[in-house]
Amino acid sequence: MRLSYVRNALIIARRFVALLVLLVYPSTTVAGNVFADFPSHVDADASYVVYSHGLIVEGENPTPVHPRWGTYDFPAIKAALAEKGDFHLVAHHRSKGTDVSLYVERLSNWVRTLVEAGVAPERITLIGFSRGGEITARASNQLRPLPINTILLATCWERGVQDEPAITLTGRLLSIYETTDVALSCEKLAERSGKLIDFEEVVISTGKEHGAFFRPDPSWVDPLLSWLRTLPL
């Protein structure tokens, strides 16, 4: 009788502790893993986000310094994206002088591998900034008609991917640009893609020009993560 009483008391105590944890940490979620290269194992039930950095980071230094815009903090950006995201983040550090065409093929093959492994295209998101955005747009173009998600950060400058008639996207597209930057709206790309794309755009005004995306500034990180939460992740 006494053993039963003790056992019941322990069960009640455990349930109380579990409830207390939920009350103290109501928004706690388990974030996915961060990969420096394409993962060796694919979880078909998970969501995957691939981030492609800007040109300045190509090489061995993950925190290079631009004379005008300061430090590009690649590690901090990865951490900010992964911290609140319930997805696996792939953020590869490209080598210096990377061939864009070859890397586009590499990125496209990663997505095809995920789909072949059972990951739904709607649960795959490609993110790119500047040169990484150009690579991302070209890869997304090659992946048509897969309805993947594409996020372009400061990517649509004149005579760039948005002005190339052969490039159109499918799925969902989010563009974020800074008003003081040379890379502005992706409306031309979205209009050319027509009904194939679900387009949204966020405009920020930090006064930091292209450097607004060099660090995980809430002005672009917050809307990006909010948009990702509307996807079937």
Side-chain angles (χ1 to χ4, degrees), residues 26-86:
S27 61
T28 299
T29 59
V30 180
N33 296 315
V34 180
F35 298 95
D37 208 333
F38 191 78
S40 57
H41 171 74
V42 174
D43 180 358
D45 296 322
S47 296
Y48 287 83
V49 173
V50 181
Y51 171 81
S52 296
H53 58 70
L55 176 62
I56 190 175
V57 187
E58 288 187 1
E60 298 181 358
N61 186 4
T63 55
V65 179
H66 188 277
R68 182 180 181 90
W69 301 317
T71 301
Y72 190 124
D73 200 335
F74 184 38
I77 291 173
K78 290 191 290 184
L81 294 178
E83 181 182 7
K84 300 178 181 178
D86 191 15

Side-chain angles (χ1 to χ4, degrees), residues 55 58-59 94-103 131 135:
L55 176 62
E58 288 187 1
R94 301 191 305 273
S95 59
K96 187 174 181 60
T98 293
D99 184 289
V100 170
S101 298
L102 292 178
Y103 202 85
R131 172 61 66 85
I135 291 171

Side-chain angles (χ1 to χ4, degrees), residues 31-229:
N33 296 315
V34 180
F35 298 95
D37 208 333
F38 191 78
S40 57
H41 171 74
V42 174
D43 180 358
D45 296 322
S47 296
Y48 287 83
V49 173
V50 181
Y51 171 81
S52 296
H53 58 70
L55 176 62
I56 190 175
V57 187
E58 288 187 1
E60 298 181 358
N61 186 4
T63 55
V65 179
H66 188 277
R68 182 180 181 90
W69 301 317
T71 301
Y72 190 124
D73 200 335
F74 184 38
I77 291 173
K78 290 191 290 184
L81 294 178
E83 181 182 7
K84 300 178 181 178
D86 191 15
F87 51 77
H88 296 312
L89 176 67
V90 181
H92 178 245
H93 191 168
R94 301 191 305 273
S95 59
K96 187 174 181 60
T98 293
D99 184 289
V100 170
S101 298
L102 292 178
Y103 202 85
V104 166
E105 289 292 337
R106 182 177 189 173
L107 202 57
S108 301
N109 288 334
W110 285 356
V111 173
R112 294 190 184 100
T113 300
L114 290 173
V115 174
E116 290 170 2
V119 181
E122 295 85 356
R123 298 170 70 93
I124 301 172
T125 302
L126 300 184
I127 303 174
F129 162 65
S130 194
R131 172 61 66 85
E134 177 187 354
I135 291 171
T136 292
R138 293 183 184 279
S140 294
N141 173 69
Q142 286 195 359
L143 291 163
R144 295 173 302 161
L146 290 176
I148 64 170
N149 311 295
T150 305
I151 301 179
L152 301 180
L153 308 174
T155 298
C156 294
W157 51 85
E158 290 186 8
R159 296 181 297 279
V161 293
Q162 75 158 346
D163 291 327
E164 293 189 29
I167 296 181
T168 58
L169 308 183
T170 53
R172 298 184 66 184
L173 168 64
L174 172 66
S175 162
I176 305 180
Y177 72 89
E178 158 66 42
T179 57
T180 58
D181 194 8
V182 294
L184 298 173
S185 176
C186 289
E187 285 184 358
K188 287 184 181 180
L189 174 58
E191 289 174 0
R192 190 167 63 247
S193 300
K195 295 180 180 180
L196 299 175
I197 200 78
D198 179 2
F199 177 59
E200 294 182 48
E201 190 156 68
V202 173
V203 183
I204 63 174
S205 296
T206 66
K208 298 176 182 178
E209 302 174 333
H210 213 50
F213 300 92
F214 271 39
R215 290 167 290 281
D217 193 299
S219 64
W220 67 267
V221 172
D222 288 352
L224 183 153
L225 291 175
S226 294
W227 189 81
L228 282 177
R229 293 188 192 104

